[in-house]
Amino acid sequence: MTLQRVIDWYQRLTPESLAELPEIYHEQARFHDPFNDVSGHAAIAAVFRHMFENTGQPAFLVTDSQQTGATAWVSWVFSGRLRRRDFAIEGVTRLDFADDGRVIEHLDYWDASRLLAELPLVGRIVRLVRGRMRPNTGVR
């Protein structure tokens, strides 16, 4: 398995291509992002199925990547539609590869408040907290 194979899979990810997940992820792989911390093929596939069920036109665009030994870093933009609004979120993923070349650990780093701000009720609270945390610079 190469890093490029993982990148290609993500950039063409569909509900149908989830069948290839065992080729990409080790059976004991851990997937961790701001909302999930799961292990194993079934649980990781469930995270992606949930994404497809709740996000319109989800897509990943990889903007940069680098690998040193068994660890890779991938910068990306995740875009789609949520509640009739388009969104795009930048993030970074650390991938650790097992001896067989499949991903054994997947750690996502991204600002979950960007997505939460799009939700009713919770979004209002997130926007309020953001506003209170921002210094008053007089410039917008």
Side-chain angles (χ1 to χ4, degrees):
M1 172 80 53
T2 65
L3 175 58
Q4 191 58 52
R5 168 83 165 93
V6 176
I7 290 170
D8 291 344
W9 184 73
Y10 265 93
Q11 291 192 133
R12 64 175 179 74
L13 190 60
T14 64
E16 295 75 29
S17 68
L18 283 178
E20 300 169 30
L21 189 135
E23 299 169 26
I24 305 296
Y25 286 89
H26 189 276
E27 52 273 356
Q28 296 174 350
R30 175 183 179 219
F31 178 97
H32 180 85
D33 71 10
F35 298 115
N36 303 282
D37 191 355
V38 300
S39 296
H41 290 159
I44 295 170
V47 169
F48 288 117
R49 278 194 302 278
H50 184 265
M51 175 193 74
F52 283 114
E53 291 166 1
N54 292 285
T55 308
Q57 302 171 320
F60 291 93
L61 173 64
V62 172
T63 57
D64 194 20
S65 64
Q66 55 185 295
Q67 183 171 0
T68 302
T71 301
W73 291 90
V74 180
S75 300
W76 44 263
V77 177
F78 173 58
S79 61
R81 286 186 69 74
L82 188 62
R83 304 187 58 82
R84 297 186 304 263
R85 293 183 65 179
D86 292 334
F87 69 87
I89 298 171
E90 294 180 56
V92 176
T93 299
R94 189 187 89 198
L95 300 170
D96 291 318
F97 293 91
D99 290 340
D100 68 1
R102 293 181 293 168
V103 175
I104 189 69
E105 189 161 38
H106 174 134
L107 300 173
D108 276 350
Y109 300 93
W110 53 277
D111 181 3
S113 73
R114 297 276 314 275
L115 192 57
L116 292 173
E118 299 298 323
L119 300 175
L121 225 61
V122 173
R124 181 174 290 163
I125 295 167
V126 169
R127 290 187 298 274
L128 178 69
V129 170
R130 274 189 190 158
R132 294 222 172 139
M133 298 302 291
R134 224 178 266 130
N136 184 0
T137 61
V139 179
R140 293 214 172 218

PDB file of all heavy atoms in Angstrom, residues 53-86:
ATOM      1  N   GLU A  53     -24.946   9.648   4.643  1.00  0.00           N
ATOM      2  CA  GLU A  53     -26.369   9.783   4.946  1.00  0.00           C
ATOM      3  C   GLU A  53     -26.733  11.195   5.394  1.00  0.00           C
ATOM      4  O   GLU A  53     -27.870  11.628   5.204  1.00  0.00           O
ATOM      5  CB  GLU A  53     -26.772   8.788   6.034  1.00  0.00           C
ATOM      6  CG  GLU A  53     -26.738   7.347   5.578  1.00  0.00           C
ATOM      7  CD  GLU A  53     -26.813   6.358   6.727  1.00  0.00           C
ATOM      8  OE1 GLU A  53     -26.920   6.782   7.911  1.00  0.00           O
ATOM      9  OE2 GLU A  53     -26.737   5.139   6.447  1.00  0.00           O
ATOM     10  N   ASN A  54     -25.794  11.918   5.986  1.00  0.00           N
ATOM     11  CA  ASN A  54     -26.107  13.210   6.593  1.00  0.00           C
ATOM     12  C   ASN A  54     -25.481  14.417   5.916  1.00  0.00           C
ATOM     13  O   ASN A  54     -25.737  15.552   6.330  1.00  0.00           O
ATOM     14  CB  ASN A  54     -25.707  13.191   8.071  1.00  0.00           C
ATOM     15  CG  ASN A  54     -26.584  12.252   8.851  1.00  0.00           C
ATOM     16  OD1 ASN A  54     -27.729  12.565   9.134  1.00  0.00           O
ATOM     17  ND2 ASN A  54     -26.072  11.068   9.155  1.00  0.00           N
ATOM     18  N   THR A  55     -24.665  14.187   4.905  1.00  0.00           N
ATOM     19  CA  THR A  55     -23.975  15.269   4.225  1.00  0.00           C
ATOM     20  C   THR A  55     -24.236  15.161   2.724  1.00  0.00           C
ATOM     21  O   THR A  55     -24.040  14.100   2.137  1.00  0.00           O
ATOM     22  CB  THR A  55     -22.452  15.188   4.463  1.00  0.00           C
ATOM     23  OG1 THR A  55     -22.211  15.105   5.863  1.00  0.00           O
ATOM     24  CG2 THR A  55     -21.737  16.382   3.892  1.00  0.00           C
ATOM     25  N   GLY A  56     -24.696  16.241   2.144  1.00  0.00           N
ATOM     26  CA  GLY A  56     -24.908  16.233   0.698  1.00  0.00           C
ATOM     27  C   GLY A  56     -23.608  16.455  -0.043  1.00  0.00           C
ATOM     28  O   GLY A  56     -22.824  17.326   0.310  1.00  0.00           O
ATOM     29  N   GLN A  57     -23.356  15.651  -1.042  1.00  0.00           N
ATOM     30  CA  GLN A  57     -22.197  15.765  -1.928  1.00  0.00           C
ATOM     31  C   GLN A  57     -20.864  15.877  -1.171  1.00  0.00           C
ATOM     32  O   GLN A  57     -20.044  16.755  -1.459  1.00  0.00           O
ATOM     33  CB  GLN A  57     -22.361  16.957  -2.861  1.00  0.00           C
ATOM     34  CG  GLN A  57     -23.619  16.878  -3.705  1.00  0.00           C
ATOM     35  CD  GLN A  57     -23.881  18.151  -4.465  1.00  0.00           C
ATOM     36  OE1 GLN A  57     -23.680  19.261  -3.945  1.00  0.00           O
ATOM     37  NE2 GLN A  57     -24.334  18.015  -5.691  1.00  0.00           N
ATOM     38  N   PRO A  58     -20.610  14.989  -0.204  1.00  0.00           N
ATOM     39  CA  PRO A  58     -19.327  15.078   0.515  1.00  0.00           C
ATOM     40  C   PRO A  58     -18.161  14.735  -0.408  1.00  0.00           C
ATOM     41  O   PRO A  58     -18.263  13.843  -1.245  1.00  0.00           O
ATOM     42  CB  PRO A  58     -19.482  14.037   1.629  1.00  0.00           C
ATOM     43  CG  PRO A  58     -20.434  13.034   1.068  1.00  0.00           C
ATOM     44  CD  PRO A  58     -21.391  13.829   0.210  1.00  0.00           C
ATOM     45  N   ALA A  59     -17.077  15.476  -0.254  1.00  0.00           N
ATOM     46  CA  ALA A  59     -15.891  15.243  -1.085  1.00  0.00           C
ATOM     47  C   ALA A  59     -14.641  15.677  -0.335  1.00  0.00           C
ATOM     48  O   ALA A  59     -14.664  16.643   0.431  1.00  0.00           O
ATOM     49  CB  ALA A  59     -16.000  16.022  -2.396  1.00  0.00           C
ATOM     50  N   PHE A  60     -13.560  14.949  -0.580  1.00  0.00           N
ATOM     51  CA  PHE A  60     -12.249  15.283  -0.019  1.00  0.00           C
ATOM     52  C   PHE A  60     -11.332  15.699  -1.158  1.00  0.00           C
ATOM     53  O   PHE A  60     -11.246  15.009  -2.170  1.00  0.00           O
ATOM     54  CB  PHE A  60     -11.625  14.080   0.693  1.00  0.00           C
ATOM     55  CG  PHE A  60     -12.333  13.690   1.950  1.00  0.00           C
ATOM     56  CD1 PHE A  60     -13.322  12.720   1.927  1.00  0.00           C
ATOM     57  CD2 PHE A  60     -12.007  14.287   3.158  1.00  0.00           C
ATOM     58  CE1 PHE A  60     -13.980  12.350   3.090  1.00  0.00           C
ATOM     59  CE2 PHE A  60     -12.664  13.930   4.329  1.00  0.00           C
ATOM     60  CZ  PHE A  60     -13.650  12.951   4.286  1.00  0.00           C
ATOM     61  N   LEU A  61     -10.651  16.810  -0.966  1.00  0.00           N
ATOM     62  CA  LEU A  61      -9.623  17.256  -1.902  1.00  0.00           C
ATOM     63  C   LEU A  61      -8.320  17.333  -1.125  1.00  0.00           C
ATOM     64  O   LEU A  61      -8.196  18.122  -0.181  1.00  0.00           O
ATOM     65  CB  LEU A  61      -9.964  18.629  -2.487  1.00  0.00           C
ATOM     66  CG  LEU A  61      -8.868  19.253  -3.358  1.00  0.00           C
ATOM     67  CD1 LEU A  61      -8.631  18.410  -4.610  1.00  0.00           C
ATOM     68  CD2 LEU A  61      -9.234  20.680  -3.708  1.00  0.00           C
ATOM     69  N   VAL A  62      -7.363  16.512  -1.493  1.00  0.00           N
ATOM     70  CA  VAL A  62      -6.060  16.518  -0.819  1.00  0.00           C
ATOM     71  C   VAL A  62      -5.215  17.627  -1.418  1.00  0.00           C
ATOM     72  O   VAL A  62      -5.068  17.729  -2.632  1.00  0.00           O
ATOM     73  CB  VAL A  62      -5.375  15.140  -0.949  1.00  0.00           C
ATOM     74  CG1 VAL A  62      -3.950  15.199  -0.429  1.00  0.00           C
ATOM     75  CG2 VAL A  62      -6.192  14.089  -0.202  1.00  0.00           C
ATOM     76  N   THR A  63      -4.676  18.479  -0.543  1.00  0.00           N
ATOM     77  CA  THR A  63      -3.902  19.635  -0.987  1.00  0.00           C
ATOM     78  C   THR A  63      -2.400  19.457  -0.793  1.00  0.00           C
ATOM     79  O   THR A  63      -1.612  20.147  -1.423  1.00  0.00           O
ATOM     80  CB  THR A  63      -4.363  20.910  -0.265  1.00  0.00           C
ATOM     81  OG1 THR A  63      -4.248  20.722   1.153  1.00  0.00           O
ATOM     82  CG2 THR A  63      -5.818  21.229  -0.618  1.00  0.00           C
ATOM     83  N   ASP A  64      -2.003  18.532   0.095  1.00  0.00           N
ATOM     84  CA  ASP A  64      -0.577  18.292   0.331  1.00  0.00           C
ATOM     85  C   ASP A  64      -0.427  16.985   1.096  1.00  0.00           C
ATOM     86  O   ASP A  64      -1.356  16.561   1.796  1.00  0.00           O
ATOM     87  CB  ASP A  64       0.034  19.437   1.143  1.00  0.00           C
ATOM     88  CG  ASP A  64       1.557  19.418   1.139  1.00  0.00           C
ATOM     89  OD1 ASP A  64       2.160  18.788   0.241  1.00  0.00           O
ATOM     90  OD2 ASP A  64       2.150  20.029   2.042  1.00  0.00           O
ATOM     91  N   SER A  65       0.720  16.377   0.952  1.00  0.00           N
ATOM     92  CA  SER A  65       1.001  15.165   1.723  1.00  0.00           C
ATOM     93  C   SER A  65       2.507  14.980   1.835  1.00  0.00           C
ATOM     94  O   SER A  65       3.271  15.465   0.994  1.00  0.00           O
ATOM     95  CB  SER A  65       0.373  13.940   1.058  1.00  0.00           C
ATOM     96  OG  SER A  65       0.954  13.699  -0.208  1.00  0.00           O
ATOM     97  N   GLN A  66       2.888  14.280   2.889  1.00  0.00           N
ATOM     98  CA  GLN A  66       4.295  13.924   3.072  1.00  0.00           C
ATOM     99  C   GLN A  66       4.364  12.677   3.934  1.00  0.00           C
ATOM    100  O   GLN A  66       3.483  12.424   4.748  1.00  0.00           O
ATOM    101  CB  GLN A  66       5.085  15.071   3.673  1.00  0.00           C
ATOM    102  CG  GLN A  66       4.540  15.610   4.969  1.00  0.00           C
ATOM    103  CD  GLN A  66       5.319  16.818   5.429  1.00  0.00           C
ATOM    104  OE1 GLN A  66       6.488  16.700   5.750  1.00  0.00           O
ATOM    105  NE2 GLN A  66       4.674  17.972   5.467  1.00  0.00           N
ATOM    106  N   GLN A  67       5.398  11.900   3.718  1.00  0.00           N
ATOM    107  CA  GLN A  67       5.553  10.665   4.465  1.00  0.00           C
ATOM    108  C   GLN A  67       7.006  10.480   4.872  1.00  0.00           C
ATOM    109  O   GLN A  67       7.917  10.720   4.103  1.00  0.00           O
ATOM    110  CB  GLN A  67       5.101   9.467   3.620  1.00  0.00           C
ATOM    111  CG  GLN A  67       5.163   8.155   4.370  1.00  0.00           C
ATOM    112  CD  GLN A  67       4.502   7.020   3.607  1.00  0.00           C
ATOM    113  OE1 GLN A  67       3.997   7.196   2.510  1.00  0.00           O
ATOM    114  NE2 GLN A  67       4.504   5.836   4.192  1.00  0.00           N
ATOM    115  N   THR A  68       7.177  10.062   6.124  1.00  0.00           N
ATOM    116  CA  THR A  68       8.483   9.693   6.643  1.00  0.00           C
ATOM    117  C   THR A  68       8.311   8.340   7.312  1.00  0.00           C
ATOM    118  O   THR A  68       7.570   8.222   8.293  1.00  0.00           O
ATOM    119  CB  THR A  68       9.000  10.727   7.666  1.00  0.00           C
ATOM    120  OG1 THR A  68       9.058  12.005   7.046  1.00  0.00           O
ATOM    121  CG2 THR A  68      10.387  10.335   8.167  1.00  0.00           C
ATOM    122  N   GLY A  69       8.931   7.334   6.753  1.00  0.00           N
ATOM    123  CA  GLY A  69       8.786   5.994   7.307  1.00  0.00           C
ATOM    124  C   GLY A  69       7.345   5.543   7.259  1.00  0.00           C
ATOM    125  O   GLY A  69       6.684   5.639   6.233  1.00  0.00           O
ATOM    126  N   ALA A  70       6.825   5.073   8.384  1.00  0.00           N
ATOM    127  CA  ALA A  70       5.467   4.533   8.455  1.00  0.00           C
ATOM    128  C   ALA A  70       4.422   5.579   8.834  1.00  0.00           C
ATOM    129  O   ALA A  70       3.261   5.242   9.053  1.00  0.00           O
ATOM    130  CB  ALA A  70       5.421   3.384   9.456  1.00  0.00           C
ATOM    131  N   THR A  71       4.822   6.860   8.879  1.00  0.00           N
ATOM    132  CA  THR A  71       3.893   7.931   9.247  1.00  0.00           C
ATOM    133  C   THR A  71       3.765   8.929   8.110  1.00  0.00           C
ATOM    134  O   THR A  71       4.759   9.348   7.527  1.00  0.00           O
ATOM    135  CB  THR A  71       4.368   8.658  10.520  1.00  0.00           C
ATOM    136  OG1 THR A  71       4.453   7.710  11.587  1.00  0.00           O
ATOM    137  CG2 THR A  71       3.414   9.770  10.919  1.00  0.00           C
ATOM    138  N   ALA A  72       2.509   9.292   7.814  1.00  0.00           N
ATOM    139  CA  ALA A  72       2.243  10.273   6.761  1.00  0.00           C
ATOM    140  C   ALA A  72       1.327  11.354   7.311  1.00  0.00           C
ATOM    141  O   ALA A  72       0.536  11.116   8.233  1.00  0.00           O
ATOM    142  CB  ALA A  72       1.584   9.597   5.560  1.00  0.00           C
ATOM    143  N   TRP A  73       1.451  12.550   6.739  1.00  0.00           N
ATOM    144  CA  TRP A  73       0.583  13.676   7.053  1.00  0.00           C
ATOM    145  C   TRP A  73      -0.083  14.111   5.760  1.00  0.00           C
ATOM    146  O   TRP A  73       0.588  14.263   4.736  1.00  0.00           O
ATOM    147  CB  TRP A  73       1.372  14.840   7.645  1.00  0.00           C
ATOM    148  CG  TRP A  73       1.900  14.543   9.009  1.00  0.00           C
ATOM    149  CD1 TRP A  73       3.099  13.978   9.326  1.00  0.00           C
ATOM    150  CD2 TRP A  73       1.224  14.773  10.244  1.00  0.00           C
ATOM    151  NE1 TRP A  73       3.214  13.849  10.690  1.00  0.00           N
ATOM    152  CE2 TRP A  73       2.075  14.321  11.275  1.00  0.00           C
ATOM    153  CE3 TRP A  73      -0.014  15.307  10.584  1.00  0.00           C
ATOM    154  CZ2 TRP A  73       1.721  14.403  12.613  1.00  0.00           C
ATOM    155  CZ3 TRP A  73      -0.362  15.392  11.914  1.00  0.00           C
ATOM    156  CH2 TRP A  73       0.507  14.940  12.917  1.00  0.00           C
ATOM    157  N   VAL A  74      -1.388  14.305   5.811  1.00  0.00           N
ATOM    158  CA  VAL A  74      -2.151  14.673   4.623  1.00  0.00           C
ATOM    159  C   VAL A  74      -2.998  15.901   4.957  1.00  0.00           C
ATOM    160  O   VAL A  74      -3.787  15.880   5.903  1.00  0.00           O
ATOM    161  CB  VAL A  74      -3.064  13.506   4.173  1.00  0.00           C
ATOM    162  CG1 VAL A  74      -3.865  13.894   2.940  1.00  0.00           C
ATOM    163  CG2 VAL A  74      -2.255  12.236   3.922  1.00  0.00           C
ATOM    164  N   SER A  75      -2.834  16.964   4.187  1.00  0.00           N
ATOM    165  CA  SER A  75      -3.674  18.159   4.311  1.00  0.00           C
ATOM    166  C   SER A  75      -4.805  18.030   3.306  1.00  0.00           C
ATOM    167  O   SER A  75      -4.593  17.586   2.173  1.00  0.00           O
ATOM    168  CB  SER A  75      -2.870  19.424   4.004  1.00  0.00           C
ATOM    169  OG  SER A  75      -1.790  19.554   4.888  1.00  0.00           O
ATOM    170  N   TRP A  76      -6.012  18.457   3.702  1.00  0.00           N
ATOM    171  CA  TRP A  76      -7.165  18.258   2.844  1.00  0.00           C
ATOM    172  C   TRP A  76      -8.222  19.329   3.083  1.00  0.00           C
ATOM    173  O   TRP A  76      -8.189  20.057   4.070  1.00  0.00           O
ATOM    174  CB  TRP A  76      -7.781  16.869   3.060  1.00  0.00           C
ATOM    175  CG  TRP A  76      -7.908  16.474   4.502  1.00  0.00           C
ATOM    176  CD1 TRP A  76      -7.046  15.696   5.219  1.00  0.00           C
ATOM    177  CD2 TRP A  76      -8.937  16.855   5.432  1.00  0.00           C
ATOM    178  NE1 TRP A  76      -7.476  15.568   6.525  1.00  0.00           N
ATOM    179  CE2 TRP A  76      -8.640  16.254   6.679  1.00  0.00           C
ATOM    180  CE3 TRP A  76     -10.092  17.617   5.339  1.00  0.00           C
ATOM    181  CZ2 TRP A  76      -9.450  16.409   7.807  1.00  0.00           C
ATOM    182  CZ3 TRP A  76     -10.899  17.787   6.459  1.00  0.00           C
ATOM    183  CH2 TRP A  76     -10.568  17.174   7.671  1.00  0.00           C
ATOM    184  N   VAL A  77      -9.169  19.373   2.172  1.00  0.00           N
ATOM    185  CA  VAL A  77     -10.379  20.182   2.318  1.00  0.00           C
ATOM    186  C   VAL A  77     -11.556  19.227   2.155  1.00  0.00           C
ATOM    187  O   VAL A  77     -11.645  18.501   1.161  1.00  0.00           O
ATOM    188  CB  VAL A  77     -10.464  21.313   1.274  1.00  0.00           C
ATOM    189  CG1 VAL A  77     -11.769  22.082   1.413  1.00  0.00           C
ATOM    190  CG2 VAL A  77      -9.269  22.242   1.382  1.00  0.00           C
ATOM    191  N   PHE A  78     -12.434  19.212   3.151  1.00  0.00           N
ATOM    192  CA  PHE A  78     -13.653  18.416   3.091  1.00  0.00           C
ATOM    193  C   PHE A  78     -14.795  19.371   2.795  1.00  0.00           C
ATOM    194  O   PHE A  78     -14.969  20.379   3.492  1.00  0.00           O
ATOM    195  CB  PHE A  78     -13.884  17.705   4.427  1.00  0.00           C
ATOM    196  CG  PHE A  78     -15.196  16.979   4.529  1.00  0.00           C
ATOM    197  CD1 PHE A  78     -15.538  15.978   3.622  1.00  0.00           C
ATOM    198  CD2 PHE A  78     -16.098  17.295   5.524  1.00  0.00           C
ATOM    199  CE1 PHE A  78     -16.743  15.310   3.713  1.00  0.00           C
ATOM    200  CE2 PHE A  78     -17.315  16.633   5.635  1.00  0.00           C
ATOM    201  CZ  PHE A  78     -17.639  15.632   4.725  1.00  0.00           C
ATOM    202  N   SER A  79     -15.548  19.087   1.747  1.00  0.00           N
ATOM    203  CA  SER A  79     -16.655  19.973   1.374  1.00  0.00           C
ATOM    204  C   SER A  79     -17.927  19.170   1.195  1.00  0.00           C
ATOM    205  O   SER A  79     -17.903  17.949   1.046  1.00  0.00           O
ATOM    206  CB  SER A  79     -16.316  20.725   0.084  1.00  0.00           C
ATOM    207  OG  SER A  79     -16.123  19.800  -0.980  1.00  0.00           O
ATOM    208  N   GLY A  80     -19.037  19.887   1.223  1.00  0.00           N
ATOM    209  CA  GLY A  80     -20.331  19.256   1.032  1.00  0.00           C
ATOM    210  C   GLY A  80     -21.440  20.235   1.345  1.00  0.00           C
ATOM    211  O   GLY A  80     -21.229  21.451   1.377  1.00  0.00           O
ATOM    212  N   ARG A  81     -22.627  19.679   1.581  1.00  0.00           N
ATOM    213  CA  ARG A  81     -23.795  20.474   1.944  1.00  0.00           C
ATOM    214  C   ARG A  81     -24.363  19.935   3.241  1.00  0.00           C
ATOM    215  O   ARG A  81     -24.461  18.733   3.424  1.00  0.00           O
ATOM    216  CB  ARG A  81     -24.872  20.407   0.863  1.00  0.00           C
ATOM    217  CG  ARG A  81     -24.530  21.209  -0.363  1.00  0.00           C
ATOM    218  CD  ARG A  81     -25.673  21.256  -1.366  1.00  0.00           C
ATOM    219  NE  ARG A  81     -26.846  22.010  -0.966  1.00  0.00           N
ATOM    220  CZ  ARG A  81     -26.941  23.332  -0.908  1.00  0.00           C
ATOM    221  NH1 ARG A  81     -25.900  24.074  -1.197  1.00  0.00           N
ATOM    222  NH2 ARG A  81     -28.070  23.923  -0.570  1.00  0.00           N
ATOM    223  N   LEU A  82     -24.711  20.842   4.123  1.00  0.00           N
ATOM    224  CA  LEU A  82     -25.333  20.493   5.391  1.00  0.00           C
ATOM    225  C   LEU A  82     -26.483  21.464   5.611  1.00  0.00           C
ATOM    226  O   LEU A  82     -26.263  22.685   5.626  1.00  0.00           O
ATOM    227  CB  LEU A  82     -24.303  20.590   6.524  1.00  0.00           C
ATOM    228  CG  LEU A  82     -24.739  20.081   7.880  1.00  0.00           C
ATOM    229  CD1 LEU A  82     -25.057  18.591   7.827  1.00  0.00           C
ATOM    230  CD2 LEU A  82     -23.639  20.328   8.905  1.00  0.00           C
ATOM    231  N   ARG A  83     -27.672  20.920   5.734  1.00  0.00           N
ATOM    232  CA  ARG A  83     -28.867  21.745   5.950  1.00  0.00           C
ATOM    233  C   ARG A  83     -28.996  22.833   4.880  1.00  0.00           C
ATOM    234  O   ARG A  83     -29.152  24.009   5.171  1.00  0.00           O
ATOM    235  CB  ARG A  83     -28.878  22.326   7.350  1.00  0.00           C
ATOM    236  CG  ARG A  83     -28.786  21.253   8.426  1.00  0.00           C
ATOM    237  CD  ARG A  83     -28.971  21.781   9.806  1.00  0.00           C
ATOM    238  NE  ARG A  83     -30.221  22.466  10.021  1.00  0.00           N
ATOM    239  CZ  ARG A  83     -31.397  21.875  10.279  1.00  0.00           C
ATOM    240  NH1 ARG A  83     -31.457  20.577  10.330  1.00  0.00           N
ATOM    241  NH2 ARG A  83     -32.483  22.593  10.469  1.00  0.00           N
ATOM    242  N   ARG A  84     -28.855  22.431   3.629  1.00  0.00           N
ATOM    243  CA  ARG A  84     -28.999  23.300   2.453  1.00  0.00           C
ATOM    244  C   ARG A  84     -27.937  24.388   2.353  1.00  0.00           C
ATOM    245  O   ARG A  84     -28.102  25.365   1.640  1.00  0.00           O
ATOM    246  CB  ARG A  84     -30.403  23.910   2.412  1.00  0.00           C
ATOM    247  CG  ARG A  84     -31.496  22.883   2.263  1.00  0.00           C
ATOM    248  CD  ARG A  84     -32.843  23.509   2.088  1.00  0.00           C
ATOM    249  NE  ARG A  84     -33.213  24.412   3.152  1.00  0.00           N
ATOM    250  CZ  ARG A  84     -33.972  24.103   4.192  1.00  0.00           C
ATOM    251  NH1 ARG A  84     -34.435  22.889   4.308  1.00  0.00           N
ATOM    252  NH2 ARG A  84     -34.275  24.998   5.107  1.00  0.00           N
ATOM    253  N   ARG A  85     -26.843  24.241   3.081  1.00  0.00           N
ATOM    254  CA  ARG A  85     -25.755  25.226   3.001  1.00  0.00           C
ATOM    255  C   ARG A  85     -24.462  24.514   2.632  1.00  0.00           C
ATOM    256  O   ARG A  85     -24.133  23.467   3.191  1.00  0.00           O
ATOM    257  CB  ARG A  85     -25.576  25.932   4.343  1.00  0.00           C
ATOM    258  CG  ARG A  85     -26.780  26.810   4.690  1.00  0.00           C
ATOM    259  CD  ARG A  85     -26.576  27.549   5.950  1.00  0.00           C
ATOM    260  NE  ARG A  85     -25.473  28.502   5.794  1.00  0.00           N
ATOM    261  CZ  ARG A  85     -25.079  29.310   6.737  1.00  0.00           C
ATOM    262  NH1 ARG A  85     -25.662  29.301   7.906  1.00  0.00           N
ATOM    263  NH2 ARG A  85     -24.087  30.134   6.543  1.00  0.00           N
ATOM    264  N   ASP A  86     -23.725  25.098   1.696  1.00  0.00           N
ATOM    265  CA  ASP A  86     -22.419  24.553   1.324  1.00  0.00           C
ATOM    266  C   ASP A  86     -21.414  24.858   2.427  1.00  0.00           C
ATOM    267  O   ASP A  86     -21.504  25.897   3.083  1.00  0.00           O
ATOM    268  CB  ASP A  86     -21.924  25.187   0.018  1.00  0.00           C
ATOM    269  CG  ASP A  86     -22.758  24.770  -1.180  1.00  0.00           C
ATOM    270  OD1 ASP A  86     -23.365  23.684  -1.136  1.00  0.00           O
ATOM    271  OD2 ASP A  86     -22.802  25.544  -2.155  1.00  0.00           O
TER     272      ASP A  86
END
